Amino acid sequence: MSTSYLPATTDSLNEASEAKSPSEAISILYRILENPSSSSEALRIKEQAISNLSDLLRQENKAEELKHLLTQLRPFFSLIPKAKTAKIVRGIVDAVSKIPGTSDLQIALCKEIVQWTRAEKRTFLRQRIEAKLAALMMENKEYSEALALLSGLIKEVRRLDDKLLLVEIDLLESKLHFSLRNLPKAKAALTAARTAANAIYVPPAQQGTIDLQSGILHAEEKDYKTAYSYFYEAFEAFNALEDPQAIYSLKYMLLCKIMVSQADDVAGIISSPKVGLQYQGPELDAMKAVADAHSKRSLNLFEVALRNFSAQLEGDPIVHRHLSSLYDTLLEQNLCRLIEPFSRVEIGHIAELIELPAEHVEKKLSQMILDKKFAGTLDQGAGCLVIFDDPKTDAIYPATLETIENMGKVVDSLFVRSAKIMA
């Protein structure tokens, strides 16, 4: 960085934009910021210079330099209004977040800003940075630390009645509880977010996120039809904004169709004009492969899909959870269909027919017997499955219970009559 500063004028900004290389432009912008002038025009030019500089540093993936820039700008922040300071700080934090592989740096940066805002008594900015820090902690799977941070923040924001921030925090709390498998608290936090959102105008992206979370929670409760409608609403919102989350909403829509045994609809949704070519890719190919396997009731095709699209299916915790239950259901249906003609059959033969390892089949059969999916036992010495006939319910027992019940009614009636006669 050069020691000689440049005048804080539009010409200096134009000089930076016309620079031959990004490093030269960065150097010019730094020199504009070094200008000691604090006139209103100079401050306005410096604000623009900061915006351009953060964009350039982001493009050059210089996350550390962005962090250093925030520290360097602290004297400048004392010259401008707090609202403008908040806008600049959040802009630089967002610029760092767009650089891949910087999650630890982002957490350190947010913690540093929180300390500074506490010292400077900048409550508005601190609350938003703390919300950002909690979101980063959740991404890093530091769930308990994130919840501890949010619990204090929620009380503070509720007192101030900042509805927009409250929606963001409640939504984040819902995601955290869902990650910790605490479904009742996740639903309660989401209801609080919806209540706060109903009182104000919520940006479409935020509304889409609320709908997406609603769909995820309904899907977790196996209410796939309601979940589908929420995912559709989220897709509509994200699609209009060209938000990258649109592909995930669409993916979960297809998952719901598969889970309610409407896998044949998947191809129609993928080829619809609304989806178009922009969303075609491995995410949709993965769901198409699963839908195809489900339509054909083929475990072999299902396992091939899981192997070929491991990142899209196994890597997505929401899809993975539902596909695990779908795989188990499919396996049970196939096993029941295969053992139906037999009264005694070798486990090896069933494994051969279903094209799965014998140990895996034996484990699943023992689980199905314990769950009373069919009556039978495993003869492990002979390596066979013995299937019993379904025990017929003897009609005498319900008939006897009915007779005793009727006798009870007769005795009660006689007791009432005798009591009247005695009176």
Side-chain angles (χ1 to χ4, degrees):
M1 204 189 306
S2 175
T3 52
S4 59
Y5 60 80
L6 285 175
T9 60
T10 312
D11 291 340
S12 299
L13 287 176
N14 291 339
E15 189 185 335
S17 62
E18 289 165 9
K20 291 176 184 175
S21 66
S23 57
E24 190 185 332
I26 289 167
S27 175
I28 292 167
L29 291 168
Y30 269 125
R31 286 166 67 193
I32 294 170
L33 294 178
E34 285 173 0
N35 190 306
S37 173
S38 57
S39 66
S40 58
E41 180 61 20
L43 293 177
R44 188 185 65 77
I45 294 294
K46 283 182 184 179
E47 283 170 37
Q48 187 58 50
I50 292 165
S51 175
N52 296 354
L53 182 57
S54 59
D55 286 344
L56 279 168
L57 291 173
R58 177 183 59 78
Q59 287 163 22
E60 294 293 300
N61 291 340
K62 292 184 177 179
E64 282 288 350
E65 210 163 314
L66 277 165
K67 185 185 175 189
H68 178 67
L69 175 65
L70 260 181
T71 312
Q72 190 185 327
L73 288 172
R74 284 178 189 176
F76 172 72
F77 291 149
S78 61
L79 303 172
I80 60 172
K82 286 186 176 181
K84 283 189 177 178
T85 300
K87 185 183 175 184
I88 291 168
V89 171
R90 289 169 71 190
I92 293 174
V93 170
D94 288 342
V96 176
S97 68
K98 287 172 185 171
I99 299 171
T102 57
S103 57
D104 291 337
L105 180 73
Q106 286 178 64
I107 290 172
L109 177 62
C110 286
K111 285 178 178 176
E112 197 179 294
I113 295 168
V114 167
Q115 284 179 350
W116 175 71
T117 50
R118 280 189 192 281
E120 293 283 318
K121 295 188 170 68
R122 293 174 184 262
T123 309
F124 177 87
L125 177 58
R126 176 179 56 76
Q127 289 169 348
R128 275 145 187 80
I129 296 297
E130 281 185 337
K132 174 77 175 174
L133 178 57
L136 288 166
M137 284 176 167
M138 185 183 76
E139 283 174 24
N140 254 23
K141 299 186 178 176
E142 297 173 19
Y143 301 128
S144 51
E145 292 91 335
L147 270 176
L149 180 63
L150 279 185
S151 59
L153 188 58
I154 287 171
K155 289 173 190 170
E156 197 180 328
V157 174
R158 281 204 179 119
R159 277 201 305 272
L160 295 170
D161 202 32
D162 186 342
K163 288 278 196 290
L164 193 59
L165 183 58
L166 196 58
V167 171
E168 188 184 327
I169 294 169
D170 283 331
L171 194 53
L172 188 56
E173 189 189 11
S174 176
K175 289 177 183 177
L176 277 165
H177 284 306
F178 178 73
S179 301
L180 291 166
R181 315 295 304 125
N182 191 336
L183 208 58
K185 283 193 174 181
K187 286 170 70 182
L190 184 65
T191 305
R194 281 193 171 281
T195 307
N198 287 339
I200 54 162
Y201 168 75
V202 177
Q206 189 82 302
Q207 187 59 53
T209 310
I210 292 171
D211 289 333
L212 185 62
Q213 182 67 7
S214 301
I216 289 167
L217 293 182
H218 276 91
E220 191 66 21
E221 292 181 317
K222 313 289 183 201
D223 184 2
Y224 293 111
K225 286 187 177 176
T226 309
Y228 178 86
S229 64
Y230 276 119
F231 288 138
Y232 183 79
E233 290 293 328
F235 174 69
E236 290 272 283
F238 292 137
N239 184 42
L241 297 166
E242 296 183 357
D243 191 300
Q245 286 191 85
I247 186 69
Y248 295 106
S249 307
L250 181 57
K251 186 179 172 183
Y252 300 151
M253 277 166 61
L254 300 177
L255 175 68
C256 290
K257 283 290 182 187
I258 294 166
M259 295 305 290
V260 293
S261 301
Q262 292 177 3
D264 295 339
D265 294 352
V266 168
I269 293 169
I270 290 172
S271 58
S272 66
K274 188 164 277 185
V275 173
L277 293 171
Q278 59 179 322
Y279 297 114
Q280 300 300 331
E283 300 286 352
L284 296 194
D285 290 343
M287 298 315 292
K288 201 173 180 181
V290 171
D292 187 43
H294 186 271
S295 298
K296 293 175 181 172
R297 298 269 184 249
S298 169
L299 279 169
N300 200 20
L301 284 175
F302 200 100
E303 291 201 328
V304 168
L306 288 175
R307 273 198 307 275
N308 291 349
F309 299 100
S310 177
Q312 288 76 25
L313 302 174
E314 303 277 345
D316 188 325
I318 293 156
V319 172
H320 175 63
R321 194 175 295 123
H322 294 290
L323 288 187
S324 297
S325 89
L326 182 67
Y327 179 80
D328 283 345
T329 308
L330 208 54
L331 180 56
E332 284 174 11
Q333 287 173 354
N334 275 269
L335 285 172
C336 287
R337 182 170 52 81
L338 288 172
I339 64 175
E340 198 175 356
F342 302 103
S343 59
R344 184 182 177 88
V345 60
E346 286 185 3
I347 294 167
H349 180 60
I350 299 170
E352 225 173 90
L353 290 172
I354 207 165
E355 297 177 354
L356 286 173
E359 298 82 14
H360 183 44
V361 171
E362 187 178 335
K363 188 180 176 183
K364 188 65 192 173
L365 287 169
S366 64
Q367 190 184 325
M368 287 170 73
I369 292 167
L370 290 170
D371 291 344
K372 297 184 178 176
K373 295 287 168 74
F374 67 91
T377 186
L378 286 169
D379 183 350
Q380 286 186 311
C384 289
L385 171 70
V386 180
I387 299 110
F388 306 138
D389 293 331
D390 288 334
K392 290 178 182 175
T393 310
D394 201 330
I396 194 166
Y397 296 116
T400 306
L401 284 169
E402 194 180 340
T403 305
I404 292 167
E405 193 182 336
N406 290 335
M407 283 288 289
K409 286 177 184 175
V410 169
V411 170
D412 289 342
S413 175
L414 289 170
F415 178 77
V416 170
R417 285 188 182 185
S418 65
K420 284 180 181 176
I421 292 165
M422 292 295 288

